[in-house]
Amino acid sequence: MTSRNVGDGPSDADEADIRDDRLTGGEHLRRAPERPGVSLNVTVYFDVASTAPLHPVARQALTAALDEGWADPARLYRSGRQARMLLDASRETVAEVLGARPDEISFTASGTQAVQLGMLGALAGNRRRGGHLVHSAVEHSSVLHVAEKHEAAGGSVSVAPVDRAGRVAADGFAGLLREDTALAVLQSANHEVGTVQPVEEVAGLCREAGVPLLVDAAQSAGRVGVPAGWSLLAASAHKWGGPPGVGVLAVRKGVRYASPLPADEREGGRVPGFVNVPAIVAAAASLRAVRAEAERENARLHALVKRIRGRVPQLVPEVEVVGDPVRRLPHIVTFSCLYVDGEVLLTELDRAGFAVSSGSSCTSSTLTPSHVLAAMGVLTEGNVRVSLPYGTAEADVERFLTVLPELVAGVRAPLGLDLPAPEPAVGTPPRAEGRAGAESEGAGEQGVSAPGTRRARPEASGRVTVIDALGKRCPLPVIELAKRIGEVPVGDTVAVLADDEAARLDIPAWCGMRGQEYAGEAPAADYGGDRGSAYLVRRTT
């Protein structure tokens, strides 16, 4: 078999086949097998933020490495030496792309393991400084789980809030650092809404305070350049088109790190166990390939996402586009539709041939809203995340924009709500990119309190209409509110009784979108309920 260096692209003879396979996340994902007499939808994969289809270069490298790199790279016989050369070349490739030294790179079993080992090792290495940990409110669940474990073991944790675009304030993050802070954690970009964080600014402030910063670059590695200033960095191969089962943990020289696991001679003593050389070779090859493709693809995907951000609010009434409209990854857009069950909408999109994701509680096994959307204070129900793979066809985006309004209207039709007409697509200037583009920064300044805010109960002289939505999951409490608000005189109050945690987020968000005043939260018992909370809404329009 002919050997190739790690990161080598396909031969000229392979180019046409690879172009065909890259249509929208791979031909195997786009086109269902044909069966006589059966008409099947073409599936368009718009969920690359969850996992990317295996890149053709990764597939090619994996196949070759299974034959050439299967042996133990720690052995001195010929096949072992060959595996070691492939592993070393892969480490050099990954280090070059991530801006690290090869001896700073360790390969793990996943991006989650990389984050967890990085956090636990840095906390252990800096335990003499203290046991304080700082992270943002929108980190990946792997960070939150380590923080919970750390706090349960006696450590302390501070959580940096984000604005309605999902972005931390660098000075606010730095303001949480203390003399006993052992580690700070900040993602390069958010996995649900695509907002890019001010990593370099935060890194500089952490450096001044002498605090190491771990950057979770899972969503951005390969797609955009790695921000400077990190002390530790984690990434995940299946996010950029490599095989699953390969993560990357980079630890800068000089950073105090003590492995939380028993000693092992492999991977710099940070990750025990036999390394999967073929998968690592494929991960490194695809990382170099996608980084080269990003130079030409990012501008195109950015324009397609901008089109979705602008067109969805024009085509679908009562929708909120979330995430920073400018400081964002080029391929992710997220929006939430009022009065829509997220699971139902995702199912309808799947039937229409589109694979997308959601942060709505109804699509989660825990039945709780996305912690990211909750931290942002935006609408959580009817949530759709679209993340475009390299090679996404403009025609597929246009077809998505064609079917989405019909599907949302179909889901809402049985509710009998009087919804405003969608904005005209032509003849009038479009509004700012989505509702979130204009309202993200200032929601709460129009008489809308933050979710969970408790205010004094409305005066007894004012009329209060009680809506009992106890036992009903969102979006039903919001739907009941929308149906009844027109019956309430302007200036009077509605108390929505609900025990679904999502109502704490979605009712204030509904007020902001509909121009009503969210008057706070009170015990449901004050309004005749036996459990849950009363969410108070004052009709202003």
Side-chain angles (χ1 to χ4, degrees), residues 442-514:
E445 298 177 347
Q446 304 296 325
V448 180
S449 303
T453 300
R454 292 186 180 272
R455 290 187 179 180
R457 179 175 174 174
E459 296 294 333
S461 58
R463 291 183 54 189
V464 177
T465 299
V466 177
I467 298 175
D468 187 353
L470 293 170
K472 298 180 179 180
R473 288 174 51 196
C474 278
L476 293 179
V478 178
I479 292 171
E480 292 298 320
L481 172 60
K483 287 181 175 180
R484 299 284 302 279
I485 192 71
E487 304 170 5
V488 177
V490 173
D492 281 7
T493 299
V494 175
V496 183
L497 309 186
D499 52 359
D500 184 352
E501 184 66 23
R504 177 170 285 113
L505 306 167
D506 289 347
I507 291 177
W510 178 89
C511 291
M513 295 175 71
R514 296 305 301 269

Side-chain angles (χ1 to χ4, degrees), residues 414-430:
L415 304 178
L417 294 171
D418 183 19
L419 297 175
E423 295 184 7
V426 294
T428 58

